Amino acid sequence: MNASPQTPKWKRVVVKLSGEALQGGQTHGLDSATLERIAGDLDAAAGLGVEIAVVVGGGNFFRGIQGADKGIERARADSIGMLATVMNALAIEYALEKLGRPARALSAVAMPSVCEPYSRQAALHHLSKGRVAILAGGTGNPFFTTDTGAALRGAELSCDAIMKATQVDGIYTADPKKDPKATRYESLTHDEAIAKNLAVMDTAAFALARENRIPIIVFSIASPRAITEALSGQGKATIVVP
Ligand code: UDP
């Protein structure tokens, strides 16, 4: 148990979870222990009184660009990718509900028989009721990523920060898994992130966050309380600021 005080730095955030974060040690799909751990972390974060919108990726099932490489036309492959994000959103919704935390999956790709269609008003309503809003389908358009979806939702839902969960504890000068000399940035501006062409998020996502002056916190999802800690400024992270 972490006995240190946890005061959240932001009131309303969008948490970007990649599909990869949900696959645990598996090569694809969902790992139930990892899903439960992340749901527990989201539940604890919501318990701090923070309004949380989760934008979830789908790379653990399908990415449009990979489908295109295999000969599926890109727009159609991206539709398959967007459907993959809905699977993850439903899994997170259920994992949160099992913990007693109210949650609603909303999809930018309308499929009302499985979850609510996304609308800004509905998402804001759920957030105001203390429900975790799990936003599927990215932007609802092909040729985008869920990182851009996270920046878009962050802007339209007036979020105070975008919490970008990754496999490493921040943004490094080079890939720390390949270059032992790589060092972590404590902070960076959006302009610098764009100029350095950092792989951590796509340029469209950085540009949207810059335009709307939303900070991006890049942190590792590996620890059991990663989101809660990042929200209260504990643990390692890189913050991208205007
Ligand atoms: N996607 C899309 N439009 C969007 C968001 C996502 O077409 O606005 C598709 C795209 O094919 C993408 C896939 O959904 O590869 C899964 O999203 P992403 O690659 O961002 O997932 P992550 O890497 O975060 O798991």
Side-chain angles (χ1 to χ4, degrees):
M1 290 291 286
N2 188 346
S4 56
Q6 292 190 318
T7 310
K9 294 172 79 173
W10 299 281
K11 179 80 191 77
R12 180 185 293 163
V13 297
V14 56
V15 176
K16 165 65 209 295
L17 286 178
S18 66
E20 202 183 1
L22 303 174
Q23 73 188 25
Q26 301 183 159
T27 54
H28 70 283
L30 291 163
D31 175 60
S32 39
T34 305
L35 188 61
E36 279 168 26
R37 170 173 65 77
I38 292 176
D41 195 6
L42 286 169
D43 177 42
L48 298 175
V50 182
E51 294 181 1
I52 300 177
V54 178
V55 168
V56 66
N60 54 329
F61 288 117
F62 198 87
R63 282 200 183 92
I65 210 147
Q66 289 159 356
D69 284 345
K70 291 185 181 140
I72 305 175
E73 63 177 342
R74 176 67 191 271
R76 201 168 307 218
D78 279 339
S79 294
I80 302 174
M82 287 187 269
L83 297 182
T85 72
V86 181
M87 294 197 273
N88 286 331
L90 294 177
I92 298 169
E93 180 187 47
Y94 181 60
L96 282 165
E97 283 173 356
K98 270 205 302 185
L99 296 172
R101 173 68 54 189
R104 289 288 191 287
L106 301 110
S107 174
V109 179
M111 44 179 89
S113 56
V114 296
C115 65
E116 232 178 283
Y118 173 81
S119 75
R120 175 172 177 269
Q121 292 87 340
L124 288 172
H125 173 74
H126 293 311
L127 292 175
S128 75
K129 294 278 176 196
R131 298 170 191 141
V132 178
I134 305 136
L135 310 180
T139 65
N141 298 291
F143 301 99
F144 285 94
T145 66
T146 52
D147 280 351
T148 305
L152 174 65
R153 301 303 180 223
E156 68 176 334
L157 300 175
S158 306
C159 291
D160 307 315
I162 297 165
M163 317 282 304
K164 160 79 177 168
T166 70
Q167 307 300 318
V168 284
D169 55 10
I171 302 177
Y172 281 74
T173 50
D175 184 347
K177 287 180 183 156
K178 293 181 190 150
D179 183 350
K181 291 204 193 87
T183 55
R184 186 172 53 82
Y185 295 105
E186 279 300 321
S187 81
L188 219 71
T189 65
H190 295 92
D191 279 333
E192 285 169 333
I194 292 168
K196 290 179 195 299
N197 204 14
L198 297 170
V200 64
M201 274 182 128
D202 47 76
T203 307
F206 278 128
L208 251 176
R210 175 179 63 181
E211 201 173 310
N212 294 283
R213 305 187 64 77
I214 309 174
I216 305 169
I217 294 81
V218 180
F219 65 103
S220 164
I221 192 67
S223 95
R225 284 288 172 263
I227 300 165
T228 323
E229 286 170 7
L231 266 174
S232 44
Q234 298 173 339
K236 289 185 193 158
T238 297
I239 179 157
V240 183
V241 285

